[in-house]
């Protein structure tokens, strides 16, 4: 099912849009926390974004620009701003559609259908983004995104980080890492894993993410794992208690 993310701070308008879209057969995600609007949109993995301009904290124009820097996911701006210069500005930032309020629901749905038809092939264009809580990883290109900065990780580092993110803070065993990165748990020198983990830590440190990758001694690694009863943490390494 096609998912449409609504970014609208006026609750009545957001609820009306949600009702219209659900009745039309779309899956809907409503952004209701606007301190980190951009991150909320990415987490929703949309096929299309309906974006208001007058938002708290950060304007829809700024959010549109950031979205278009990372994806071809179509964006339709919905706003009460009727001046031509605002429409031109939104389109120049990459928005595919600009619709002013108030509008008829039939017009909205027709614009959405047309936009999705034109953008066929880009559905789920955020689905390749893994959320590492404080950073994102594009698992197609192994590009690391942290607060407006980005860098492409070497393939091995990218695969390791993807596996760690997927387990959401839980232990990823050495065998799982060998299999996921090198395709086999046999004939792989453990030193290779340690060297690449060291390199990954160094890459993360360059983005202020020092300490995110932790070692479970004798077992494997995890991403920012919480201390459990009977464990001690020392120099970025988790050491199991006796």
């Amino acid at each position: 099912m096609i998912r449409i993310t609504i970014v609208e701070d006026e609750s009545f308008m957001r609820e009306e849009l949600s009702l219209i879209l659900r009745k039309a057969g779309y899956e809907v995600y409503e952004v209701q926390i606007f301190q980190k609007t951009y991150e909320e949109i990415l987490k929703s993995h949309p096929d299309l974004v309906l974006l208001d301009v007058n938002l708290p904290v950060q304007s829809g124009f700024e959010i549109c620009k950031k979205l278009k820097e990372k994806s071809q996911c179509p964006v339709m701006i919905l706003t009460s701003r009727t001046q031509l210069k605002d429409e031109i500005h939104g389109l120049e930032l990459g928005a595919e559609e600009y619709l002013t309020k108030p509008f008829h629901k039939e017009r909205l749905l027709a614009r959405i259908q047309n936009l999705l038809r034109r953008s066929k092939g880009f559905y789920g264009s955020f689905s390749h983004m893994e959320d590492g809580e404080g950073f994102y990883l594009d698992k197609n290109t192994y590009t690391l995104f942290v607060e407006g900065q980005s860098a492409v990780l070497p393939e091995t580092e990218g695969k390791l980080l993807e596996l760690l993110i997927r387990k959401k803070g839980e232990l990823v065993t050495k065998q799982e890492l060998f299999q996921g990165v090198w395709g086999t748990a046999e004939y792989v020198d453990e030193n290779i894993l340690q060297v690449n983990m060291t390199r990954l830590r160094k890459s993360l440190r360059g983005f202020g993410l020092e300490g995110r990758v932790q070692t479970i001694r004798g077992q494997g690694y995890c991403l920012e794992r919480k201390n459990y009863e009977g464990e001690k943490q020392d120099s970025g390494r988790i050491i199991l208690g006796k």
Side-chain angles (χ1 to χ4, degrees):
M1 183 181 293
I2 294 173
R3 176 180 291 184
I4 298 178
T5 294
I6 301 173
V7 188
E8 166 64 66
D9 64 322
E10 187 180 329
S11 59
F12 177 77
M13 174 62 72
R14 185 172 63 244
E15 291 168 5
E16 283 293 303
L17 285 169
S18 180
L19 181 62
I20 291 170
L21 295 174
R22 287 195 168 97
K23 283 185 176 180
Y26 296 109
E27 182 180 352
V28 176
Y29 180 91
E30 301 177 31
V31 172
Q32 301 184 43
I33 301 173
F34 297 95
Q35 283 73 24
K36 294 185 177 181
T37 306
Y38 171 73
E39 288 78 4
E40 285 293 311
I41 295 172
L42 258 62
K43 286 195 294 187
S44 71
H45 301 303
D47 296 302
L48 183 146
V49 177
L50 297 185
L51 180 63
D52 189 18
V53 172
N54 298 319
L55 297 171
V57 183
Q58 193 171 31
S59 77
F61 288 139
E62 293 175 279
I63 294 168
C64 180
K65 182 180 179 181
K66 291 182 70 174
L67 289 173
K68 286 304 181 178
E69 287 175 351
K70 295 183 175 62
S71 175
Q72 293 297 318
C73 180
V75 174
M76 178 185 292
I77 291 178
L78 297 179
T79 179
S80 57
R81 296 191 184 189
T82 58
Q83 293 190 18
L84 179 59
K85 65 177 183 180
D86 289 323
E87 180 174 355
I88 292 174
H89 183 48
L91 297 174
E92 286 178 341
L93 290 174
E96 283 77 11
E97 283 280 2
Y98 190 100
L99 186 61
T100 57
K101 305 172 187 176
F103 46 79
H104 294 288
K105 69 176 184 179
E106 290 81 6
R107 176 173 293 174
L108 171 66
L109 293 174
R111 293 280 187 93
I112 288 174
Q113 290 173 5
N114 186 50
L115 181 51
L116 289 171
R117 192 180 303 115
R118 285 168 19 213
S119 304
K120 187 177 181 181
F122 293 116
Y123 291 166
S125 52
F126 282 109
S127 62
H128 59 282
M129 300 294 281
E130 294 282 355
D131 182 4
E133 298 183 11
F135 66 90
Y136 290 90
L137 178 71
D138 182 335
K139 62 186 180 184
N140 290 342
T141 63
Y142 299 120
T143 302
L144 180 66
F145 297 99
V146 186
E147 296 182 353
Q149 304 179 69
S150 64
V152 178
L153 298 177
E155 184 176 357
T156 300
E157 292 180 37
K159 287 181 178 180
L160 289 171
L161 185 56
E162 180 184 355
L163 292 168
L164 292 170
I165 293 173
R166 285 182 179 180
K167 292 299 282 284
K168 300 184 184 301
E170 298 298 322
L171 167 69
V172 186
T173 66
K174 296 176 184 179
Q175 289 71 28
E176 288 175 315
L177 293 169
F178 288 145
Q179 190 67 45
V181 176
W182 290 281
T184 179
E186 299 179 7
Y187 314 117
V188 181
D189 189 338
E190 189 171 322
N191 289 330
I192 295 177
L193 177 58
Q194 293 176 355
V195 167
N196 281 281
M197 277 297 183
T198 298
R199 291 173 178 169
L200 174 58
R201 284 184 167 120
K202 183 177 179 181
S203 296
L204 294 174
R205 191 182 308 123
F207 283 87
L209 299 172
E210 187 172 4
R212 293 300 301 270
V213 175
Q214 298 180 358
T215 303
I216 312 299
R217 180 173 291 178
Q219 298 186 60
Y221 299 84
C222 68
L223 189 65
E224 210 174 48
R225 185 171 185 259
K226 293 181 180 179
N227 289 344
Y228 294 101
E229 185 178 356
E231 295 179 353
K232 297 179 181 180
Q233 186 169 345
D234 180 33
S235 301
R237 298 173 66 89
I238 298 287
I239 303 174
L240 295 179
K242 295 182 181 180

